[in-house]
């Protein structure tokens, strides 16, 4: 058994696990079910979380490597009552169908817009390259990212 | 498959090169280095690898950072592929490596995957390797018995096999400065717009009459096709030479059939990409 401290969604946490456990499974055990387990081998991106602001596939990382890191999961972004502007944009643009890819899409979008508030379509495609969606055909997701950018700029004013 | 636990191991995170060396010397065959883990974790998941110790190299400060110096650029073993994509110097001066880094896997994985991991995994399809071959990179290796430098062309020994001894690890990759006016590029052919392993990858370097071309996914290791170099010292227009260069490709490679495509298709596309990359670098319009 190992124990580390890290920050999850803004709160300092102590978590315990075996060395061979991935961050993905430990986060789910700790109740962060928004971190989805899809392929578990780095392809689908639905397990994406932000580690120190960068999107990372949590199935490609051991929990041990999260020591001292700041982790953000979809639960840390917004709630049903108080959605994040990106979540609002995704809902309004019809960018969510089954929803399985949505946490990865939204967190990847957040990482992009935090750095690049006015992304080109290429920037968006590149940023979302790591997340697969089997439902939407991606177009509505691309629109949702641009709408998110608009909402975030409005919120700043 | 997703719930299947990985084989058990102890996790180690040394903080210095000396500590890392000592761990490898002590545990030799039982320890496995991990940089980004993007090759290692899938291999452990399939139980291809069952190391007793997983040694995380990202805690070692000396392995971080891209440094430029008179001789060229040095890329530490913990440097991620995204750091390479973000490097202005690499984009401008070592464009083949930059364009390969941009094509390696996807944006999210690139923020963990490393260049050193890509070469040490020694996949025939490793995207960075043709570029390192045409740029004449050198691998700086540290072992229990000291340091050595291995030219990249001697580093790959077969599918998933390298020249590293059990107690050795890669400290950095050096890329020498290229002659003034040299240009280089990597082009990758894959099945989809998104992330996929190369069906064929071709890197080329052009510097006056000197032309080097190397490829991935067409042989057990990434390979240079030296015959192409000779073509450009011969007679003919540039377009004729490019055609001759492409004609050298089938003789210089030995691709296989696999789940992604047939050998014949790989050979065809290797020649096509060779022409495209050379035309681009030589400014020949078609
Ligand atoms: C979904 C997915 C898509 C991918 N797509 C591509 C692609 O398009 N192109 C491509 O080329 N690759 C691809 N890969 C493979 C992989 O991401 C790359 O090879 C990556 O560069 C490996 O780097 P890493 O730091 O993650 O290596 P790790 O997994 O950490 O290590 C790889 C191997 O090298 C050894 N090693 C690591 N560092 C050292 C060192 N300093 N000294 C000695 N040995 C060391 C490890 O023990 C291990 O055997 C993909 C992988 C996944 C999971
Ligand atoms: S579950 Fe991590 S990429 Fe699919
Ligand atoms: S909405 Fe179903 S996978 Fe994207």
């Amino acid at each position: 058994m190992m124990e580390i401290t890290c920050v999850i969604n803004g709160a300092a946490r102590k978590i315990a696990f075996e060395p061979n456990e991935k961050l993905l499974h430990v986060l789910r055990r700790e109740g962060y079910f928004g971190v989805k387990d899809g392929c578990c081998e780095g392809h689908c991106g639905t397990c994406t979380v932000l580690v120190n602001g960068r999107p990372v596939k949590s199935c490609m990382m051991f929990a041990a490597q999260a020591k001292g890191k700041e982790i953000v999961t979809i639960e840390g972004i917004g709630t049903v009552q108080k959605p994040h502007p990106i979540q609002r944009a995704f809902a309004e643009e019809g960018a969510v169908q089954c929803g399985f890819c949505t946490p990865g899409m939204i967190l990847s979008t957040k990482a992009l817009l935090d750095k690049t508030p006015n992304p080109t379509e290429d920037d968006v495609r590149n940023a979302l390259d790591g997340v697969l969606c089997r439902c939407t055909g991606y177009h509505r997701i691309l629109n949702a990212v641009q709408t998110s950018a608009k909402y975030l700029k409005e919120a700043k004013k | 498959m997703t719930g299947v636990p990985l084989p058990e191991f102890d996790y180690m995170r040394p903080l210095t090169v000396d500590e890392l060396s000592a761990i490898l010397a002590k545990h030799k065959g039982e320890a496995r280095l991990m940089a980004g883990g993007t090759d290692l974790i899938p291999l452990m998941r399939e139980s291809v690898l069952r190391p007793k110790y997983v040694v995380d190299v990202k805690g070692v400060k000396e392995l971080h950072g891209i440094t430029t110096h008179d001789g060229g650029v040095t890329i530490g073993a913990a440097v991620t592929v995204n750091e390479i994509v973000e490097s202005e110097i690499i984009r401008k001066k070592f464009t083949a490596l930059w364009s390969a880094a941009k094509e390696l896997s996807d944006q999210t994985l690139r923020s963990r995957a490393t260049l050193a991991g890509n070469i040490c995994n020694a996949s025939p399809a490793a995207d960075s390797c043709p570029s390192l071959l045409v740029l004449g990179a050198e691998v700086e290796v540290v072992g229990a018995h000291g340091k050595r430098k291995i030219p990249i062309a001697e580093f790959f020994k077969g599918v998933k096999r390298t020249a590293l001894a059990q107690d050795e690890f890669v400290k950095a990759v050096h890329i020498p400065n290229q002659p003034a006016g040299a240009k280089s590029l990597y082009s990758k052919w894959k099945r989809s717009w998104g992330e996929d392993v190369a069906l064929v990858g071709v890197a080329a370097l052009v510097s006056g009459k000197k032309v080097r071309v190397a490829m991935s996914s067409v042989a057990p290791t990434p390979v240079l096709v030296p015959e192409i170099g000779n073509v450009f010292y011969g007679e003919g227009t540039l377009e004729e030479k490019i055609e001759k260069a492409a004609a050298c490709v089938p003789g210089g490679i030995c691709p296989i059939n696999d789940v992604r495509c047939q050998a014949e298709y790989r050979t065809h596309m290797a020649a096509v990409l060779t022409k495209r990359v050379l035309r681009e670098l030589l400014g020949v319009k078609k």
Side-chain angles (χ1 to χ4, degrees):
Chain A
M1 217 41 161
M2 296 179 70
E3 197 178 66
I4 62 160
T5 52
C6 59
V7 176
I8 307 180
N9 298 336
R13 293 287 314 267
K14 222 181 229 175
I15 46 175
F17 45 78
E18 295 296 337
N20 67 346
E21 286 190 281
K22 293 181 180 181
L23 181 61
L24 164 62
H25 298 122
V26 172
L27 286 172
R28 287 182 63 82
R29 190 166 65 225
E30 295 291 319
Y32 301 96
F33 293 116
V35 190
K36 300 294 176 202
D37 184 348
C39 61
C40 214
E41 56 180 27
H43 288 284
C44 73
T46 194
C47 64
T48 301
V49 298
L50 301 183
V51 177
N52 290 356
R54 277 204 183 237
V56 163
K57 294 179 178 180
S58 61
C59 69
M60 284 285 117
M61 200 174 148
F62 292 117
Q65 295 172 283
K67 186 174 168 187
K69 299 266 160 52
E70 255 180 64
I71 296 164
V72 175
T73 72
I74 193 71
E75 287 89 346
I77 295 278
T79 60
V80 176
Q81 288 75 30
K82 225 178 152 245
H84 187 276
I86 301 175
Q87 289 172 312
R88 185 153 67 91
F90 268 65
E92 287 174 7
E93 291 288 352
V96 180
Q97 287 189 24
C98 80
F100 202 69
C101 69
T102 311
M105 290 291 181
I106 288 181
L107 289 165
S108 301
T109 301
K110 181 168 189 311
L112 168 71
L113 297 180
D114 282 348
K115 266 195 2 205
T116 316
N118 298 304
T120 62
E121 180 166 335
D122 255 9
D123 293 337
V124 178
R125 285 173 178 265
N126 188 36
L128 301 186
D129 187 15
V131 194
L132 297 178
C133 175
R134 298 290 82 175
C135 303
T136 63
Y138 298 105
H139 282 281
R140 286 167 187 268
I141 293 177
L142 296 181
N143 294 342
V145 177
Q146 295 300 354
T147 305
S148 302
K150 200 175 92 194
Y151 286 171
L152 285 169
K153 269 179 277 174
E154 284 171 7
K156 267 205 189 133
K157 273 184 199 152
Chain B
M1 262 300 265
T2 56
V4 180
L6 292 175
E8 283 179 20
F9 59 81
D10 276 335
Y11 172 81
M12 295 174 136
R13 191 176 164 90
L15 299 177
T16 63
V17 161
D18 289 344
E19 237 182 282
L20 175 54
S21 286
I23 292 174
L24 274 193
K26 185 166 168 210
H27 299 296
K28 276 195 183 149
E30 294 183 325
R32 197 85 202 182
L33 297 198
M34 174 169 71
T38 61
D39 278 313
L40 185 66
I41 293 176
L43 289 171
M44 287 175 61
R45 183 161 172 264
E46 291 153 23
S47 286
V48 177
L49 291 177
R50 294 176 149 272
K52 212 165 153 190
Y53 304 96
V54 168
V55 188
D56 187 348
V57 304
K58 286 201 174 173
V60 181
K61 269 224 178 73
E62 298 137 280
L63 302 183
H64 285 268
I66 299 175
T67 40
T68 44
H69 42 83
D70 290 347
V73 63
T74 298
I75 302 170
V79 170
T80 65
V81 178
N82 266 344
E83 288 174 74
I84 293 175
V85 175
E86 285 156 17
S87 159
E88 266 305 282
I89 301 248
I90 296 182
R91 184 172 71 82
K92 287 208 181 111
K93 289 173 72 179
F94 308 102
T95 316
L97 180 62
W98 181 78
S99 47
K102 239 170 44 124
E103 287 286 334
L104 194 152
S105 185
D106 63 51
Q107 167 73 16
T108 317
L109 278 175
R110 284 197 291 270
S111 57
R112 296 200 63 78
T114 62
L115 177 67
N118 196 233
I119 65 169
C120 292
N121 187 55
S123 157
D127 277 315
S128 71
C129 301
S131 303
L132 294 177
L133 283 166
V134 298
L135 294 167
E138 265 188 335
V139 187
E140 184 183 341
V141 168
V142 174
H145 305 289
K147 275 203 220 180
R148 61 178 179 136
K149 281 190 179 165
I150 308 176
I152 190 79
E154 291 162 29
F155 188 76
F156 306 111
K157 294 295 178 194
V159 179
K160 304 256 164 188
R161 286 197 298 122
T162 68
L164 292 178
Q166 275 189 341
D167 62 287
E168 285 182 321
F169 64 93
V170 171
K171 183 165 178 246
V173 176
H174 299 283
I175 306 179
N177 280 330
Q178 307 296 316
K183 287 202 275 184
S184 68
L185 193 65
Y186 176 72
S187 175
K188 176 175 178 177
W189 193 248
K190 51 188 182 175
R191 294 170 301 178
S192 66
W193 189 92
E195 165 257 307
D196 195 15
V197 171
L199 298 175
V200 182
V202 175
L205 173 101
V206 171
S207 167
K209 281 196 167 175
K210 190 178 127 196
V211 173
R212 288 166 98 174
V213 175
M215 304 183 179
S216 56
S217 290
V218 294
T221 66
V223 285
L224 278 162
V225 185
E227 296 76 18
I228 290 180
N230 303 332
V231 168
F232 287 84
Y233 291 98
E235 299 292 308
T237 63
L238 273 182
E239 181 55 30
E240 283 164 1
K241 289 179 185 173
I242 290 172
E243 286 295 338
K244 276 190 200 160
C248 296
V249 170
I253 61 179
C254 50
I256 56 164
N257 299 323
D258 67 10
V259 290
R260 292 193 173 80
C261 72
Q262 298 288 308
E264 206 181 336
Y265 182 67
R266 286 204 159 92
T267 305
H268 176 74
M269 284 316 299
V272 171
L273 290 194
T274 300
K275 286 197 258 187
R276 283 186 193 164
V277 171
L278 288 176
R279 281 196 193 113
E280 173 80 32
L281 289 173
L282 294 163
V284 176
K285 291 236 162 57
K286 173 83 183 174

